[in-house]
Amino acid sequence: ETGVTQSPTHLIKTRGQQVTLRCSSQSGHNTVSWYQQALGQGPQFIFQYYREEENGRGNFPPRFSGLQFPNYSSELNVNALELDDSALYLCASSPDRSNTEAFFGQGTRLTVV
Amino acid sequence: AQSVAQPEDQVNVAEGNPLTVKCTYSVSGNPYLFWYVQYPNRGLQFLLKYITGDNLVKGSYGFEAEFNKSQTSFHLKKPSALVSDSALYFCAVRGASGGSYIPTFGRGTSLIVHP
């Protein structure tokens, strides 16, 4: 157990809808990163938050947005869902923004129909 | 741009035999390198990392990896495989300098250990 929890574990949404995924970081960790893992692929970095500010973003469109709260928990929001957004979404927390020590949650499986 | 190649989609090994999972990388400057393992329907578990220092890095569950700068490789090894090692293995790289904290992952290698 890494101490990083994600909710929900599974989710089915319709194309065009919006979704919010949640992540609770490991105690003492001030950095959270989100990843998209499509079937048969490695995780792709979406963005990272350090002390409530975004400090790194991968090649994802603006409809992927996030928040980090004062308790360092985090949300990933995806607007205007597309079929290709179907994937496992992983959250990872780190004790600092260098991200050399990341602890992953179990993921949220999103299916867009 | 940084990249990671895991040339084998699948590696098969008999229990008790040594195993190697290959990884090569491309990054500007010095690399930070990582190995993770993923079991079905689970998140990634950290195995080991290379930041600096000794080229041979020892990690969790008896795994180790050797950093080879000239060959830009970071192969994962274990002297004696267990059936329970069967899982998906990911190599990742990021640059060591500047403010780039963005890691790039390989596509993964499925390790199957036969009894």
Side-chain angles (χ1 to χ4, degrees):
Chain A
E1 292 295 328
T2 63
V4 179
T5 57
Q6 293 185 241
S7 62
T9 55
H10 295 83
L11 197 55
I12 299 175
K13 287 286 190 178
T14 302
R15 188 172 50 182
Q17 284 188 315
Q18 179 266 344
V19 69
T20 297
L21 309 182
R22 295 179 174 84
C23 173
S24 176
S25 301
Q26 186 167 332
S27 177
H29 287 189
N30 56 24
T31 301
V32 66
S33 304
W34 285 91
Y35 298 82
Q36 181 194 66
Q37 185 179 15
L39 201 60
Q41 303 291 322
Q44 287 199 343
F45 179 87
I46 303 174
F47 44 57
Q48 174 172 303
Y49 280 81
Y50 169 69
R51 294 184 183 243
E52 302 178 60
E53 290 193 5
E54 184 181 297
N55 79 330
R57 188 176 182 93
N59 189 26
F60 280 82
R63 60 188 185 86
F64 285 79
S65 63
L67 279 175
Q68 188 181 30
F69 300 100
N71 66 355
Y72 301 135
S73 65
S74 176
E75 287 182 354
L76 165 65
N77 298 288
V78 187
N79 293 323
L81 284 167
E82 301 176 359
L83 296 179
D84 285 348
D85 295 334
S86 295
L88 181 67
Y89 287 86
L90 296 166
C91 161
S93 76
S94 302
D96 58 67
R97 66 177 185 174
S98 71
N99 211 12
T100 57
E101 204 171 343
F103 296 83
F104 283 80
Q106 83 284 3
T108 294
R109 173 72 64 188
L110 173 65
T111 302
V112 182
V113 296
Chain B
Q2 59 194 34
S3 64
V4 171
Q6 293 182 242
E8 302 153 316
D9 289 337
Q10 186 172 302
V11 169
N12 291 276
V13 64
E15 187 174 31
N17 283 359
L19 69 87
T20 299
V21 182
K22 296 179 180 177
C23 171
T24 58
Y25 67 90
S26 173
V27 69
S28 296
N30 293 322
Y32 286 173
L33 293 154
F34 308 85
W35 275 103
Y36 291 88
V37 60
Q38 186 176 36
Y39 295 97
N41 300 314
R42 301 292 297 275
L44 275 66
Q45 293 180 29
F46 171 81
L47 281 178
L48 50 79
K49 65 183 177 185
Y50 171 83
I51 302 298
T52 187
D54 287 343
N55 290 342
L56 185 63
V57 179
K58 293 191 181 296
S60 306
Y61 313 118
F63 284 94
E64 58 188 29
E66 186 166 10
F67 170 61
N68 187 316
K69 188 172 184 178
S70 63
Q71 296 186 5
T72 62
S73 67
F74 190 57
H75 300 331
L76 181 70
K77 300 182 179 184
K78 187 174 182 181
S80 178
L82 300 172
V83 172
S84 57
D85 292 331
S86 299
L88 196 52
Y89 290 81
F90 291 97
C91 179
V93 68
R94 56 155 275 208
S97 60
S100 174
Y101 307 116
I102 298 176
T104 298
F105 283 79
R107 292 185 53 162
T109 298
S110 177
L111 173 67
I112 299 175
V113 181
H114 302 277

